[in-house]
Amino acid sequence: MVKVKAGVDGFGETGLLVTRAAFNCGKLDIVAISDPFIDLNYTVYMFQYDSTHGKFHGTVKAENRKLVINGNPITIFQERDPCKIKWGDAGIESIMESTSVFTTMKKAGAHLQGGAKRVIISAPSADTPMFVMGVNHEKYDNSLKINSNASCTTNYLVPLAKLIPDNFGIMEGLKTSVHAITATQKTVDGPSGKL
C-alpha cells in the first residue's frame, strides 16, 4: 500500500491528534508540520504527553531540527503565511489545515501556492464543500482541491441527527455539547476576544 504524504498546518489539539492517528493507522505518512508558535522541543513534549489521550506509545525526539516519530523524520516549518510554507519541497500531497484560521477557499488555497495538491480543512467553512462520514461522504469528488471535514460538533451530532429521523423520526430535540477548552475559550464565563 502506498501511503499518502501529508502535512499538518497547526499543531494544536487537532493537528496533534491527526498526526497521532496517522501513525496509528499507517495510511498516511506525515512528512511536515507547520506551527509558528511552538518550538521543536515543545512539539516533542506535546506529542508525547497528551492530557486527554495519554502518553504516545512510541518514540518521539528532536533530531537535526526535525521531529522524529518512531524513526520517521518530519520537517518542521514555523511559517505563519501558508503560501510561504514549502509543502512541495517536502513532497506533500495533502494538507490538514488545523489552525482554524484558513477556513475559506481563498485562505486555504494559499497552501496550494506552497506546493500542496489538496487541502482538508478541519473546521467549518463558509464556501468550501463539507463532508461528514456517514452523512454525505459518498458525494466527495476526487477532483476537489479544497474541502472541509466540518466541525467536531457536526461530526458527532449530524450522523445521529440523520440516522434517527431516517429510521424512527424526531418530534423534538435538544443537544448538549461537552467540549474540551480550546486555546481561545475561557475556563469560566467572561468576555471573549473572538467577538
Side-chain angles (χ1 to χ4, degrees):
M1 174 179 70
V2 177
K3 291 183 180 182
V4 173
K5 289 190 174 197
V8 175
D9 188 29
F11 205 64
E13 190 68 11
T14 302
L16 186 148
L17 291 177
V18 164
T19 304
R20 275 190 173 207
F23 276 90
N24 289 332
C25 81
K27 294 179 182 176
L28 291 175
D29 186 11
I30 303 293
V31 296
I33 295 169
S34 181
D35 195 309
F37 305 110
I38 305 170
D39 79 356
L40 179 56
N41 290 326
Y42 196 66
T43 301
V44 169
Y45 177 80
M46 281 180 47
F47 190 81
Q48 192 160 20
Y49 303 102
D50 185 86
S51 299
T52 303
H53 299 279
K55 190 174 187 291
F56 177 69
H57 300 289
T59 61
V60 186
K61 63 183 177 179
E63 187 175 82
N64 299 323
R65 294 192 324 251
K66 292 185 183 257
L67 175 65
V68 181
I69 301 173
N70 292 343
N72 299 295
I74 299 169
T75 300
I76 299 295
F77 297 113
Q78 291 192 299
E79 180 60 59
R80 288 180 85 154
D81 184 348
C83 68
K84 292 181 181 176
I85 304 170
K86 297 181 179 178
W87 299 120
D89 291 354
I92 300 292
E93 296 168 43
S94 296
I95 296 299
M96 172 55 74
E97 172 38 57
S98 58
T99 65
S100 296
V101 175
F102 308 107
T103 60
T104 63
M105 191 76 78
K106 182 178 180 179
K107 289 179 180 179
H111 288 294
L112 302 175
Q113 294 173 29
K117 294 179 181 146
R118 295 183 193 282
V119 180
I120 303 165
I121 303 168
S122 70
S125 174
D127 62 355
T128 303
M130 286 189 269
F131 300 97
V132 177
M133 290 301 294
V135 177
N136 69 341
H137 67 280
E138 71 284 345
K139 294 179 181 176
Y140 174 77
D141 178 348
N142 203 30
S143 69
L144 291 171
K145 299 290 183 203
I146 302 170
N147 66 74
S148 166
N149 190 222
S151 70
C152 51
T153 303
T154 303
N155 276 277
Y156 91 75
L157 179 65
V158 172
L160 284 173
K162 180 182 182 331
L163 175 78
I164 294 170
D166 285 357
N167 293 282
F168 308 104
I170 293 179
M171 293 180 64
E172 188 175 326
L174 176 66
K175 172 199 81 82
T176 300
S177 282
V178 177
H179 197 290
I181 297 168
T182 68
T184 60
Q185 293 174 322
K186 296 187 179 294
T187 55
V188 295
D189 291 338
S192 171
K194 287 178 95 174
L195 301 177

